[in-house]
Amino acid sequence: NAGVMQNPRHLVRRRGQEARLRCSPMKGHSHVYWYRQLPEEGLKFMVYLQKENIIDESGMPKERFSAEFPKEGPSILRIQQVVRGDSAAYFCASSLKREASYNEQFFGPGTRLTVL
Amino acid sequence: GQNIDQPTEMTATEGAIVQINCTYQTSGFNGLFWYQQHAGEAPTFLSYNVLDGLEEKGRFSSFLSRSKGYSYLLLKELQMKDSASYLCAVMDSNYQLIWGAGTKLIIKP
């Protein structure tokens, strides 16, 4: 039973390039969450998606960032025209359902983005 | 605004007991989670409290007081492998998880 998978694990980009991060949720999970974590800081919520729908993107910057979770395939977090401040670990989590009090989120190993 | 507070760093000795506190102010409450995160790795689930009281799971216990907006994680018989960050997170009325910055626990022999 594979857990949440993310790739790549490490990604290096130069300023102005695009970064594309992928997340495959646990089998049977249709809820996906993306978080950003800066060094020595806590997790910051970015976006919550269900299949083909963005439910809550209140934590995602309005410009350069986008996310999708297509009917087939992994969820994608896309960062256009990256800047040095985008360097961080990006974690994806998935859960069985959201509208419930007990809702454990399972985390992927993260993608560490470095912008040169 | 929503706020989760926990100490930035704590140090304890191998074999001892340590208590990591977490206070919160959120719009609504649908449970409190504790996660463990080793450096460079993903957070892993430790515990969930939604009712007041103590939940025990092996060497780890978690306590919740909703009226005080307070929780703690108790780690007993500390081992070197317990050196990690411990993240407190509260699920608000919109079922969104609000995360604390984490407490870095350093275990000394």
Short mmCIF file of all heavy atoms in Angstrom, two decimals, chain A residues 9 33 35 37 40-43 45 56 58 91 98-110 112, chain B residues 30-31 33 35 37 39-45 48 50 87 91-92 94-97 99-102 104:
data_model
loop_
_atom_site.label_atom_id
_atom_site.label_comp_id
_atom_site.label_asym_id
_atom_site.label_seq_id
_atom_site.Cartn_x
_atom_site.Cartn_y
_atom_site.Cartn_z
N ARG A 9 12.14 14.71 -5.68
CA ARG A 9 12.45 14.98 -4.28
C ARG A 9 13.26 16.27 -4.13
O ARG A 9 13.12 16.99 -3.15
CB ARG A 9 13.25 13.81 -3.70
CG ARG A 9 12.47 12.50 -3.61
CD ARG A 9 11.36 12.57 -2.57
NE ARG A 9 11.87 12.92 -1.26
CZ ARG A 9 12.35 12.05 -0.39
NH1 ARG A 9 12.41 10.77 -0.69
NH2 ARG A 9 12.78 12.45 0.80
N TYR A 33 -3.75 18.25 -0.30
CA TYR A 33 -3.37 19.53 0.29
C TYR A 33 -1.91 19.80 -0.05
O TYR A 33 -1.08 18.89 0.01
CB TYR A 33 -3.52 19.49 1.82
CG TYR A 33 -4.81 18.89 2.31
CD1 TYR A 33 -4.98 17.51 2.36
CD2 TYR A 33 -5.87 19.69 2.73
CE1 TYR A 33 -6.16 16.93 2.80
CE2 TYR A 33 -7.05 19.13 3.19
CZ TYR A 33 -7.19 17.75 3.22
OH TYR A 33 -8.37 17.19 3.67
N TYR A 35 1.41 22.20 1.07
CA TYR A 35 1.96 23.07 2.11
C TYR A 35 3.37 23.51 1.69
O TYR A 35 4.08 22.80 0.99
CB TYR A 35 2.09 22.32 3.45
CG TYR A 35 0.79 21.89 4.07
CD1 TYR A 35 0.23 20.65 3.78
CD2 TYR A 35 0.13 22.72 4.97
CE1 TYR A 35 -0.97 20.25 4.37
CE2 TYR A 35 -1.05 22.32 5.58
CZ TYR A 35 -1.59 21.09 5.27
OH TYR A 35 -2.77 20.70 5.86
N GLN A 37 7.04 24.86 3.46
CA GLN A 37 7.76 24.98 4.72
C GLN A 37 9.12 25.60 4.47
O GLN A 37 9.96 25.04 3.75
CB GLN A 37 7.93 23.61 5.39
CG GLN A 37 8.53 23.69 6.78
CD GLN A 37 8.60 22.33 7.46
OE1 GLN A 37 8.86 21.31 6.84
NE2 GLN A 37 8.35 22.31 8.77
N GLU A 40 13.37 26.00 9.35
CA GLU A 40 13.13 26.36 10.75
C GLU A 40 11.74 26.96 10.98
O GLU A 40 11.51 27.59 12.01
CB GLU A 40 14.20 27.35 11.26
CG GLU A 40 15.64 26.91 11.02
CD GLU A 40 15.99 25.62 11.74
OE1 GLU A 40 15.53 25.44 12.89
OE2 GLU A 40 16.72 24.79 11.17
N GLU A 41 10.83 26.76 10.05
CA GLU A 41 9.48 27.29 10.24
C GLU A 41 8.45 26.17 10.13
O GLU A 41 8.75 25.06 9.71
CB GLU A 41 9.18 28.38 9.21
CG GLU A 41 10.02 29.64 9.39
CD GLU A 41 9.55 30.77 8.51
OE1 GLU A 41 8.46 30.67 7.92
OE2 GLU A 41 10.30 31.76 8.41
N GLY A 42 7.22 26.48 10.52
CA GLY A 42 6.14 25.51 10.44
C GLY A 42 5.57 25.41 9.03
O GLY A 42 6.01 26.09 8.11
N LEU A 43 4.61 24.53 8.89
CA LEU A 43 3.95 24.34 7.60
C LEU A 43 2.95 25.46 7.35
O LEU A 43 2.21 25.85 8.25
CB LEU A 43 3.21 23.01 7.60
CG LEU A 43 4.08 21.76 7.66
CD1 LEU A 43 3.25 20.55 8.07
CD2 LEU A 43 4.73 21.51 6.32
N PHE A 45 -0.23 26.37 4.96
CA PHE A 45 -1.20 25.85 4.01
C PHE A 45 -1.20 26.69 2.74
O PHE A 45 -1.15 27.92 2.79
CB PHE A 45 -2.60 25.88 4.65
CG PHE A 45 -3.72 25.66 3.68
CD1 PHE A 45 -4.04 24.38 3.25
CD2 PHE A 45 -4.46 26.73 3.19
CE1 PHE A 45 -5.07 24.18 2.36
CE2 PHE A 45 -5.49 26.53 2.30
CZ PHE A 45 -5.81 25.25 1.89
N ASP A 56 -10.05 25.28 -1.85
CA ASP A 56 -9.59 26.40 -1.01
C ASP A 56 -8.17 26.74 -1.44
O ASP A 56 -7.28 25.92 -1.28
CB ASP A 56 -9.64 25.99 0.46
CG ASP A 56 -9.19 27.08 1.42
OD1 ASP A 56 -8.71 28.15 0.97
OD2 ASP A 56 -9.32 26.88 2.65
N SER A 58 -6.77 29.75 -0.44
CA SER A 58 -6.54 30.97 0.32
C SER A 58 -5.09 31.18 0.73
O SER A 58 -4.67 32.30 1.01
CB SER A 58 -7.44 31.00 1.56
OG SER A 58 -7.19 29.87 2.38
N PHE A 91 5.36 20.28 0.66
CA PHE A 91 4.79 19.00 1.05
C PHE A 91 3.37 18.86 0.52
O PHE A 91 2.59 19.81 0.53
CB PHE A 91 4.76 18.84 2.58
CG PHE A 91 6.10 18.64 3.20
CD1 PHE A 91 6.80 19.71 3.74
CD2 PHE A 91 6.68 17.38 3.23
CE1 PHE A 91 8.05 19.52 4.31
CE2 PHE A 91 7.93 17.18 3.79
CZ PHE A 91 8.62 18.26 4.33
N ARG A 98 -12.68 15.23 4.13
CA ARG A 98 -12.39 16.48 4.83
C ARG A 98 -13.49 16.85 5.80
O ARG A 98 -13.23 17.34 6.89
CB ARG A 98 -12.22 17.60 3.81
CG ARG A 98 -11.96 18.97 4.42
CD ARG A 98 -11.67 19.94 3.31
NE ARG A 98 -11.69 21.32 3.74
CZ ARG A 98 -10.60 22.00 4.11
NH1 ARG A 98 -9.44 21.43 4.11
NH2 ARG A 98 -10.69 23.27 4.46
N GLU A 99 -14.71 16.59 5.41
CA GLU A 99 -15.83 17.05 6.21
C GLU A 99 -16.10 16.10 7.36
O GLU A 99 -17.14 15.50 7.49
CB GLU A 99 -17.09 17.18 5.33
CG GLU A 99 -16.92 18.15 4.20
CD GLU A 99 -16.55 19.55 4.67
OE1 GLU A 99 -17.03 19.96 5.75
OE2 GLU A 99 -15.78 20.22 3.98
N ALA A 100 -15.09 15.94 8.17
CA ALA A 100 -15.21 15.05 9.33
C ALA A 100 -14.24 15.55 10.38
O ALA A 100 -13.22 16.15 10.07
CB ALA A 100 -14.88 13.62 8.95
N SER A 101 -14.56 15.31 11.61
CA SER A 101 -13.69 15.80 12.68
C SER A 101 -12.37 15.06 12.69
O SER A 101 -11.32 15.66 12.86
CB SER A 101 -14.39 15.64 14.03
OG SER A 101 -15.46 16.55 14.13
N TYR A 102 -12.42 13.76 12.53
CA TYR A 102 -11.18 13.01 12.52
C TYR A 102 -10.73 12.86 11.09
O TYR A 102 -11.38 12.22 10.29
CB TYR A 102 -11.34 11.64 13.17
CG TYR A 102 -10.04 10.88 13.18
CD1 TYR A 102 -8.97 11.33 13.95
CD2 TYR A 102 -9.86 9.76 12.40
CE1 TYR A 102 -7.77 10.66 13.95
CE2 TYR A 102 -8.66 9.09 12.41
CZ TYR A 102 -7.62 9.53 13.18
OH TYR A 102 -6.43 8.88 13.18
N ASN A 103 -9.65 13.48 10.75
CA ASN A 103 -9.26 13.58 9.35
C ASN A 103 -7.75 13.62 9.24
O ASN A 103 -7.16 14.63 8.96
CB ASN A 103 -9.87 14.86 8.77
CG ASN A 103 -9.60 15.00 7.30
OD1 ASN A 103 -9.41 14.02 6.60
ND2 ASN A 103 -9.58 16.22 6.82
N GLU A 104 -7.14 12.48 9.51
CA GLU A 104 -5.69 12.44 9.49
C GLU A 104 -5.18 12.68 8.08
O GLU A 104 -5.66 12.08 7.11
CB GLU A 104 -5.21 11.07 9.96
CG GLU A 104 -3.70 10.92 9.98
CD GLU A 104 -3.28 9.51 10.34
OE1 GLU A 104 -4.09 8.78 10.95
OE2 GLU A 104 -2.15 9.14 9.99
N GLN A 105 -4.22 13.56 7.99
CA GLN A 105 -3.57 13.82 6.72
C GLN A 105 -2.25 13.06 6.66
O GLN A 105 -1.46 13.10 7.59
CB GLN A 105 -3.32 15.32 6.54
CG GLN A 105 -4.58 16.12 6.38
CD GLN A 105 -4.33 17.59 6.10
OE1 GLN A 105 -3.22 18.00 5.80
NE2 GLN A 105 -5.38 18.39 6.19
N PHE A 106 -2.04 12.36 5.57
CA PHE A 106 -0.82 11.61 5.35
C PHE A 106 0.08 12.42 4.42
O PHE A 106 -0.37 12.86 3.36
CB PHE A 106 -1.13 10.25 4.72
CG PHE A 106 -1.90 9.34 5.63
CD1 PHE A 106 -3.28 9.43 5.71
CD2 PHE A 106 -1.26 8.39 6.41
CE1 PHE A 106 -4.01 8.60 6.55
CE2 PHE A 106 -1.97 7.55 7.25
CZ PHE A 106 -3.35 7.66 7.31
N PHE A 107 1.32 12.57 4.82
CA PHE A 107 2.23 13.44 4.08
C PHE A 107 3.16 12.66 3.16
O PHE A 107 3.61 11.55 3.47
CB PHE A 107 3.09 14.26 5.06
CG PHE A 107 2.35 15.42 5.65
CD1 PHE A 107 1.49 15.25 6.71
CD2 PHE A 107 2.50 16.70 5.12
CE1 PHE A 107 0.79 16.31 7.25
CE2 PHE A 107 1.81 17.77 5.65
CZ PHE A 107 0.96 17.58 6.71
N GLY A 108 3.46 13.28 2.05
CA GLY A 108 4.50 12.78 1.16
C GLY A 108 5.86 13.23 1.66
O GLY A 108 5.96 14.03 2.59
N PRO A 109 6.94 12.75 1.02
CA PRO A 109 8.30 13.07 1.47
C PRO A 109 8.73 14.49 1.16
O PRO A 109 9.76 14.95 1.66
CB PRO A 109 9.16 12.06 0.71
CG PRO A 109 8.37 11.75 -0.52
CD PRO A 109 6.93 11.81 -0.11
N GLY A 110 7.97 15.20 0.36
CA GLY A 110 8.28 16.59 0.06
C GLY A 110 9.17 16.76 -1.16
O GLY A 110 9.89 15.83 -1.56
N ARG A 112 12.07 19.45 -2.32
CA ARG A 112 12.88 20.59 -1.89
C ARG A 112 13.31 21.39 -3.11
O ARG A 112 14.09 20.91 -3.92
CB ARG A 112 14.08 20.10 -1.09
CG ARG A 112 13.70 19.87 0.36
CD ARG A 112 14.41 18.67 0.99
NE ARG A 112 13.80 18.36 2.28
CZ ARG A 112 12.74 17.59 2.44
NH1 ARG A 112 12.17 17.03 1.41
NH2 ARG A 112 12.24 17.36 3.64
N ASN B 30 -12.18 21.67 15.59
CA ASN B 30 -12.59 20.33 15.20
C ASN B 30 -11.48 19.32 15.47
O ASN B 30 -11.37 18.32 14.77
CB ASN B 30 -12.97 20.30 13.71
CG ASN B 30 -14.41 20.75 13.48
OD1 ASN B 30 -15.35 20.21 14.08
ND2 ASN B 30 -14.60 21.75 12.65
N GLY B 31 -10.69 19.59 16.48
CA GLY B 31 -9.67 18.63 16.86
C GLY B 31 -8.27 19.21 16.80
O GLY B 31 -8.01 20.19 16.10
N PHE B 33 -4.10 18.07 16.48
CA PHE B 33 -3.18 17.03 16.04
C PHE B 33 -1.77 17.34 16.51
O PHE B 33 -1.36 18.50 16.59
CB PHE B 33 -3.15 16.95 14.51
CG PHE B 33 -4.43 16.53 13.86
CD1 PHE B 33 -5.48 17.42 13.73
CD2 PHE B 33 -4.58 15.24 13.38
CE1 PHE B 33 -6.67 17.04 13.12
CE2 PHE B 33 -5.76 14.85 12.77
CZ PHE B 33 -6.80 15.74 12.64
N TYR B 35 2.10 16.14 15.29
CA TYR B 35 2.90 15.45 14.29
C TYR B 35 4.37 15.52 14.70
O TYR B 35 4.81 16.49 15.32
CB TYR B 35 2.75 16.10 12.90
CG TYR B 35 1.54 15.67 12.11
CD1 TYR B 35 0.28 16.19 12.40
CD2 TYR B 35 1.65 14.77 11.07
CE1 TYR B 35 -0.84 15.82 11.67
CE2 TYR B 35 0.55 14.38 10.33
CZ TYR B 35 -0.70 14.91 10.63
OH TYR B 35 -1.80 14.53 9.89
N GLN B 37 8.26 15.51 13.11
CA GLN B 37 8.99 15.72 11.86
C GLN B 37 10.49 15.68 12.10
O GLN B 37 11.04 16.57 12.75
CB GLN B 37 8.59 17.04 11.21
CG GLN B 37 9.22 17.25 9.83
CD GLN B 37 8.78 18.54 9.16
OE1 GLN B 37 8.44 19.51 9.82
NE2 GLN B 37 8.82 18.57 7.83
N ALA B 39 14.35 16.03 10.78
CA ALA B 39 14.97 16.99 9.87
C ALA B 39 15.02 16.42 8.45
O ALA B 39 15.48 15.30 8.23
CB ALA B 39 16.37 17.33 10.35
N GLY B 40 14.51 17.19 7.51
CA GLY B 40 14.56 16.80 6.12
C GLY B 40 13.53 15.75 5.72
O GLY B 40 13.59 15.24 4.60
N GLU B 41 12.61 15.44 6.63
CA GLU B 41 11.62 14.41 6.31
C GLU B 41 10.19 14.97 6.42
O GLU B 41 9.98 16.11 6.85
CB GLU B 41 11.78 13.22 7.26
CG GLU B 41 13.12 12.52 7.10
CD GLU B 41 13.23 11.29 8.00
OE1 GLU B 41 12.22 10.87 8.58
OE2 GLU B 41 14.35 10.76 8.11
N ALA B 42 9.23 14.16 6.03
CA ALA B 42 7.83 14.56 6.10
C ALA B 42 7.29 14.43 7.52
O ALA B 42 7.76 13.59 8.30
CB ALA B 42 7.00 13.70 5.16
N PRO B 43 6.31 15.23 7.89
CA PRO B 43 5.66 15.05 9.19
C PRO B 43 4.92 13.71 9.25
O PRO B 43 4.35 13.27 8.25
CB PRO B 43 4.65 16.21 9.24
CG PRO B 43 5.11 17.18 8.22
CD PRO B 43 5.77 16.38 7.15
N THR B 44 4.96 13.07 10.40
CA THR B 44 4.20 11.85 10.59
C THR B 44 3.26 12.02 11.78
O THR B 44 3.61 12.62 12.79
CB THR B 44 5.11 10.63 10.83
OG1 THR B 44 5.99 10.92 11.93
CG2 THR B 44 5.93 10.32 9.60
N PHE B 45 2.07 11.48 11.65
CA PHE B 45 1.02 11.63 12.64
C PHE B 45 1.38 10.96 13.96
O PHE B 45 1.86 9.82 13.98
CB PHE B 45 -0.26 11.00 12.07
CG PHE B 45 -1.39 10.89 13.04
CD1 PHE B 45 -2.19 11.97 13.32
CD2 PHE B 45 -1.66 9.68 13.67
CE1 PHE B 45 -3.25 11.87 14.20
CE2 PHE B 45 -2.72 9.56 14.56
CZ PHE B 45 -3.52 10.66 14.82
N TYR B 48 -4.28 12.58 18.02
CA TYR B 48 -5.44 13.43 17.72
C TYR B 48 -6.29 13.51 18.97
O TYR B 48 -6.61 12.48 19.58
CB TYR B 48 -6.24 12.82 16.58
CG TYR B 48 -7.58 13.47 16.33
CD1 TYR B 48 -7.67 14.70 15.70
CD2 TYR B 48 -8.76 12.83 16.72
CE1 TYR B 48 -8.90 15.28 15.46
CE2 TYR B 48 -10.00 13.41 16.48
CZ TYR B 48 -10.06 14.64 15.84
OH TYR B 48 -11.28 15.22 15.60
N VAL B 50 -9.91 15.45 20.41
CA VAL B 50 -11.05 16.32 20.14
C VAL B 50 -11.86 16.54 21.42
O VAL B 50 -12.58 17.53 21.54
CB VAL B 50 -11.92 15.77 19.00
CG1 VAL B 50 -12.63 14.48 19.44
CG2 VAL B 50 -12.90 16.80 18.50
N LEU B 87 5.09 19.19 15.83
CA LEU B 87 4.18 20.19 15.28
C LEU B 87 2.79 20.02 15.86
O LEU B 87 2.24 18.92 15.84
CB LEU B 87 4.10 20.07 13.75
CG LEU B 87 5.43 20.02 13.00
CD1 LEU B 87 5.18 19.79 11.51
CD2 LEU B 87 6.20 21.31 13.19
N MET B 91 -7.58 21.90 13.78
CA MET B 91 -8.54 21.95 12.67
C MET B 91 -9.64 22.93 13.03
O MET B 91 -10.32 22.76 14.05
CB MET B 91 -9.10 20.56 12.41
CG MET B 91 -10.04 20.49 11.22
SD MET B 91 -10.35 18.81 10.68
CE MET B 91 -8.85 18.46 9.77
N ASP B 92 -9.81 23.96 12.18
CA ASP B 92 -10.77 25.00 12.53
C ASP B 92 -12.17 24.65 12.02
O ASP B 92 -12.42 23.53 11.57
CB ASP B 92 -10.29 26.37 12.00
CG ASP B 92 -10.29 26.47 10.48
OD1 ASP B 92 -10.86 25.56 9.80
OD2 ASP B 92 -9.75 27.45 9.95
N ASN B 94 -13.69 25.42 9.44
CA ASN B 94 -13.74 25.11 8.00
C ASN B 94 -12.98 23.83 7.67
O ASN B 94 -12.70 23.56 6.50
CB ASN B 94 -13.15 26.27 7.19
CG ASN B 94 -14.02 27.50 7.24
OD1 ASN B 94 -15.25 27.41 7.23
ND2 ASN B 94 -13.40 28.66 7.32
N TYR B 95 -12.62 23.08 8.71
CA TYR B 95 -11.86 21.83 8.54
C TYR B 95 -10.50 22.07 7.93
O TYR B 95 -9.93 21.17 7.30
CB TYR B 95 -12.67 20.80 7.74
CG TYR B 95 -13.93 20.39 8.45
CD1 TYR B 95 -15.16 20.96 8.11
CD2 TYR B 95 -13.90 19.47 9.48
CE1 TYR B 95 -16.31 20.61 8.77
CE2 TYR B 95 -15.06 19.11 10.16
CZ TYR B 95 -16.26 19.68 9.79
OH TYR B 95 -17.40 19.34 10.45
N GLN B 96 -9.97 23.27 8.10
CA GLN B 96 -8.62 23.55 7.64
C GLN B 96 -7.67 23.41 8.81
O GLN B 96 -7.97 23.85 9.93
CB GLN B 96 -8.53 24.97 7.07
CG GLN B 96 -7.16 25.29 6.48
CD GLN B 96 -7.10 26.68 5.86
OE1 GLN B 96 -6.26 27.47 6.21
NE2 GLN B 96 -7.97 26.98 4.92
N LEU B 97 -6.52 22.79 8.56
CA LEU B 97 -5.51 22.63 9.61
C LEU B 97 -4.66 23.89 9.72
O LEU B 97 -4.09 24.35 8.75
CB LEU B 97 -4.61 21.44 9.31
CG LEU B 97 -5.08 20.06 9.78
CD1 LEU B 97 -4.08 19.00 9.37
CD2 LEU B 97 -5.29 20.04 11.28
N TRP B 99 -1.35 25.35 11.50
CA TRP B 99 -0.15 24.73 12.06
C TRP B 99 0.65 25.70 12.92
O TRP B 99 0.82 26.87 12.58
CB TRP B 99 0.76 24.25 10.93
CG TRP B 99 0.16 23.13 10.13
CD1 TRP B 99 -0.73 23.23 9.11
CD2 TRP B 99 0.42 21.73 10.31
NE1 TRP B 99 -1.05 21.98 8.65
CE2 TRP B 99 -0.36 21.05 9.35
CE3 TRP B 99 1.23 20.99 11.18
CZ2 TRP B 99 -0.35 19.66 9.24
CZ3 TRP B 99 1.25 19.62 11.07
CH2 TRP B 99 0.46 18.95 10.11
N GLY B 100 1.20 25.17 14.02
CA GLY B 100 2.20 25.91 14.78
C GLY B 100 3.54 25.81 14.07
O GLY B 100 3.70 25.02 13.13
N ALA B 101 4.50 26.61 14.53
CA ALA B 101 5.82 26.63 13.88
C ALA B 101 6.66 25.42 14.26
O ALA B 101 7.71 25.18 13.66
CB ALA B 101 6.56 27.91 14.24
N GLY B 102 6.21 24.67 15.27
CA GLY B 102 6.96 23.47 15.65
C GLY B 102 7.91 23.73 16.80
O GLY B 102 8.40 24.84 16.99
N LYS B 104 11.42 22.30 18.28
CA LYS B 104 12.58 21.44 18.02
C LYS B 104 13.04 20.85 19.34
O LYS B 104 13.42 21.57 20.26
CB LYS B 104 13.69 22.27 17.38
CG LYS B 104 14.90 21.45 16.96
CD LYS B 104 15.92 22.33 16.26
CE LYS B 104 17.12 21.54 15.82
NZ LYS B 104 18.12 22.41 15.14
#
